[in-house]
Amino acid sequence: MSELTLAQRTYIVIFGADTPAGKGFDVALLVSILASVAVVMLQTVEPIAAVHGEMLQTTEWLFTGLFTVEYIVRIWCVENKKAYLKSFFGVVDLLSVLPSYIGLIFPHVRLMLVLRSVRLIRVFQIFQLTPALKEAAGFKRALKSSGARITVFLAAVFIVVVLMGSLMYIVEGPENGFTSIPISMYWAVVTMTTVGFGDLVPHTAWGQTIASVLMILGYSLIVVPTGLVSAELVKADYGSAASKASADKLNSCGGCGGLAARQESKYCDKCGAVL
């Protein structure tokens, strides 16, 4: 058996969480990510930035340098470099350092360094929370299955927003703050979602009536996407339970422990023994 190369040993540490070194590296990485995100956030707090701004900026660049080296090492040690660069984590790893360098030209872009928090998804891998990822995959499948119905629902909501927004523009008019149909549509969205910022309110009796109808409609519409996705999740769980129940009903072989393909089988499909 040939000895592992330096790149292969590095790959095991960086990409694997099964060894003590790999788990230690990943935990240190998570702590660094949390610290770097905290530094970016603190830079937006004016009293703190006024006193410790220079130190925070230096610390941010240290984290950027650390993550840049880590990203380069990941590319170096991985065998299929193109696959890594195109993968979800490959893109996220790149986005965790890119804003710092773009920020040299466009300063406000640097605040997008909070994208580093997305890398915390690695916690599932580190602490072996694979079942949680499987549940997430099931939820993703449910969303995909109900995608067409959710699209129809969103189209209906958009039509309601356009109609109600246009109607409020006609009823209330610019004198009450509804200066255009897009502004009125914004009001309709805020009202339908029951947020109610209060920056635009109807003043006429007809306007208040329309607002009341829209609020009641909003409460009704909120549960629709939840119901659609929940139905798909229940369907998936029922299908899994039915499959398991069918498997449990199959005849088992006392010789090899295998299951017959049909419940009415008299002989084991694997060893041929009498059931």
Side-chain angles (χ1 to χ4, degrees), residues 153 157 160 164 188-196 210-227:
F153 163 75
V157 170
V160 170
M164 289 298 191
V189 171
V190 171
T191 304
M192 187 181 290
T193 54
T194 69
V195 175
I210 294 169
S212 302
V213 171
L214 200 56
M215 281 184 267
I216 294 170
L217 181 62
Y219 275 113
S220 304
L221 291 177
I222 286 171
V223 299
V224 174
T226 307

Side-chain angles (χ1 to χ4, degrees), residues 167-237:
L167 188 58
M168 285 300 288
Y169 175 70
I170 295 169
V171 171
E172 292 290 326
E175 61 273 15
N176 289 322
F178 293 81
T179 54
S180 66
I181 290 179
I183 292 294
S184 302
M185 286 172 61
Y186 154 78
W187 169 85
V189 171
V190 171
T191 304
M192 187 181 290
T193 54
T194 69
V195 175
F197 290 130
D199 52 346
L200 273 179
V201 292
H203 292 83
T204 66
W206 280 111
Q208 290 166 356
T209 302
I210 294 169
S212 302
V213 171
L214 200 56
M215 281 184 267
I216 294 170
L217 181 62
Y219 275 113
S220 304
L221 291 177
I222 286 171
V223 299
V224 174
T226 307
L228 293 173
V229 176
S230 299
E232 291 297 329
L233 287 171
V234 169
K235 190 187 297 183
D237 290 341

Side-chain angles (χ1 to χ4, degrees), residues 239-254:
S240 300
S243 299
K244 186 178 183 301
S246 298
D248 291 342
K249 289 180 181 178
L250 295 176
N251 290 327
S252 59
C253 175

Side-chain angles (χ1 to χ4, degrees), residues 35-67:
S36 67
V37 172
V39 168
V40 174
M41 290 180 177
L42 288 174
Q43 287 185 77
T44 63
V45 181
E46 218 171 293
I48 296 176
V51 179
H52 305 289
E54 191 174 336
M55 184 195 71
L56 290 171
Q57 192 168 358
T58 303
T59 306
E60 180 199 307
W61 275 107
L62 286 173
F63 279 122
T64 298
L66 177 68
F67 293 139

Side-chain angles (χ1 to χ4, degrees), residues 52-155:
H52 305 289
E54 191 174 336
M55 184 195 71
L56 290 171
Q57 192 168 358
T58 303
T59 306
E60 180 199 307
W61 275 107
L62 286 173
F63 279 122
T64 298
L66 177 68
F67 293 139
T68 301
V69 171
E70 180 224 346
Y71 179 66
I72 293 170
V73 172
R74 283 181 183 273
I75 296 173
W76 167 70
C77 71
V78 74
E79 189 173 343
N80 193 338
K81 294 175 173 48
K82 188 178 289 187
Y84 166 69
L85 291 171
K86 290 181 178 180
S87 68
F88 171 76
F89 279 117
V91 173
V92 170
D93 291 342
L94 175 61
L95 290 177
S96 70
V97 297
L98 207 56
S100 287
Y101 301 110
I102 298 176
L104 294 172
I105 304 172
F106 305 103
H108 290 294
V109 176
R110 285 172 54 252
L111 296 177
M112 292 306 295
L113 285 171
V114 292
L115 285 169
R116 288 173 182 170
S117 59
V118 180
R119 302 186 74 195
L120 294 172
I121 295 175
R122 293 183 190 275
V123 73
F124 291 101
Q125 196 176 23
I126 296 167
F127 297 107
Q128 299 179 355
L129 300 176
T130 309
L133 290 177
K134 288 181 179 178
E135 292 296 329
F139 183 69
K140 182 181 177 182
R141 284 193 297 272
L143 281 176
K144 190 174 181 181
S145 300
S146 55
R149 279 169 285 181
I150 290 177
T151 302
V152 173
F153 163 75
L154 291 176

